[in-house]
Amino acid sequence: MQIHLFDNAEQVGKAAATLLAAQVIRKPDSVLGLATGSTPIPTYQELISLCKNGIVDFSNVTSFNLDEYCNLPVTHECSYHSFMKEQLFNHININPDNTHVPDGNAANQQEESARYDHAINRAGGIDVQILGIGRNGHIGFNEPADTFVYGCHIVNLTQSTIEANRRFFDNESDVPRQAISLGIGSIMNARQVLLLATGEDKADAIRKALREDINPQVQASILRTHSDVIILLDKAAAGLL
Ligand code: F6R
């Protein structure tokens, strides 16, 4: 496990984008695992700039997002489908047919979960998975629990996550209570994992994930058993290490 410290979130984004760009230059048909939320936005901004300047070509890249809310239309401005288009896909030369976000509105959620895991396997698995971390230590929407769940599955969001994500919605009652998420097994199968954390409100989750026992109450702690994980932190997120 490598841990790199930076002064601020912008530098974390530039470092993450540099690693992703190197991956795509080395392997133009890379499969990237992508995340939503505030943390990867500086990374995506830098990737857009690298693409616009002709440094990185996404035309053969395939992407799989970690998660999506259930029971929220994909066209809703807060859906992760919308987020990805707005923050990245609409501004780079990725083929929209090669971008994948799980369907949170599928009539048969179990079938959709199995289909999504299968699609990742058929694409050859994820080369690099980018992750943020929740204040409760979640990765994807794998919330604190008694066990680690292997595959893609439906999750009941915890109150802490509902409160954290409330900022994107008009009212707390509008925040979906369920999501579909890659499981810990699917995340751990990625050949490389980049975990990003910025801001003081992530410091406790980072301390627990990196310094306490590996345990499913802090789902990110499992990353310590991955053979190729790079952790990029700003000073604030590293403040309790
Ligand atoms: C997003 C995701 C979540 C976020 C986490 C941090 O696709 O899976 O695990 O990475 O909730 O969110 P931010 O970056 O908004 O603090």
Side-chain angles (χ1 to χ4, degrees):
M1 184 171 75
Q2 290 183 32
I3 303 179
H4 296 275
L5 295 188
F6 298 91
D7 283 343
N8 54 51
E10 191 192 336
Q11 288 178 346
V12 169
K14 287 204 156 114
T18 304
L19 290 166
L20 290 167
Q23 169 68 34
V24 175
I25 291 168
R26 190 171 56 231
K27 186 181 175 213
D29 60 349
S30 287
V31 178
L32 302 181
L34 300 177
T36 55
S38 306
T39 309
I41 290 178
T43 306
Y44 295 155
Q45 285 170 350
E46 183 66 15
L47 286 178
I48 291 167
S49 154
L50 289 168
C51 182
K52 290 203 162 133
N53 287 310
I55 315 288
V56 189
D57 173 11
F58 287 92
S59 59
N60 290 310
V61 165
T62 298
S63 72
F64 287 91
N65 264 78
L66 278 169
D67 41 24
E68 175 58 288
Y69 290 118
C70 291
N71 306 316
L72 194 68
V74 289
T75 50
H76 191 286
E77 58 179 359
C78 294
S79 80
Y80 289 169
H81 281 77
S82 299
F83 176 99
M84 288 311 299
K85 284 188 190 147
E86 203 169 301
Q87 298 295 338
L88 186 66
F89 299 153
N90 286 350
H91 312 287
I92 60 174
N93 67 337
I94 196 164
N95 178 347
D97 292 342
N98 293 343
T99 66
H100 306 274
V101 180
D103 179 1
N105 298 306
N108 186 329
Q109 297 175 320
Q110 266 184 345
E111 245 174 53
E112 170 58 11
S113 299
R115 183 199 68 78
Y116 201 67
D117 277 335
H118 188 61
I120 294 174
N121 290 338
R122 235 187 13 239
I126 292 170
D127 289 305
V128 181
Q129 174 67 57
I130 181 164
L131 294 176
I133 185 170
R135 291 178 209 165
N136 63 7
H138 73 207
I139 47 176
F141 273 137
N142 293 281
E143 297 282 45
D146 293 336
T147 54
F148 294 106
V149 176
Y150 188 87
C152 186
H153 62 291
I154 301 295
V155 181
N156 293 321
L157 300 179
T158 59
Q159 192 56 30
S160 130
T161 298
I162 292 165
E163 276 160 24
N165 291 0
R166 190 238 170 283
R167 67 193 193 277
F168 300 110
F169 292 83
D170 291 338
N171 301 298
E172 194 197 288
S173 57
D174 296 336
V175 185
R177 269 34 188 180
Q178 282 194 319
I180 181 167
S181 175
L182 276 195
I184 291 296
S186 336
I187 292 171
M188 291 294 285
N189 281 340
R191 286 181 266 284
Q192 183 175 68
V193 174
L194 303 183
L195 175 69
L196 278 49
T198 55
E200 204 181 342
D201 61 336
K202 299 298 172 63
D204 194 45
I206 286 294
R207 181 190 61 78
K208 286 182 177 147
L210 302 187
R211 296 286 184 255
E212 290 190 354
D213 288 349
I214 295 171
N215 105 73
Q217 290 299 329
V218 183
Q219 296 264 322
S221 62
I222 193 79
L223 295 173
R224 278 150 55 200
T225 66
H226 193 285
S227 60
D228 190 357
V229 57
I230 303 179
I231 300 178
L232 307 175
L233 306 173
D234 71 359
K235 275 187 186 154
L240 296 178
L241 288 182

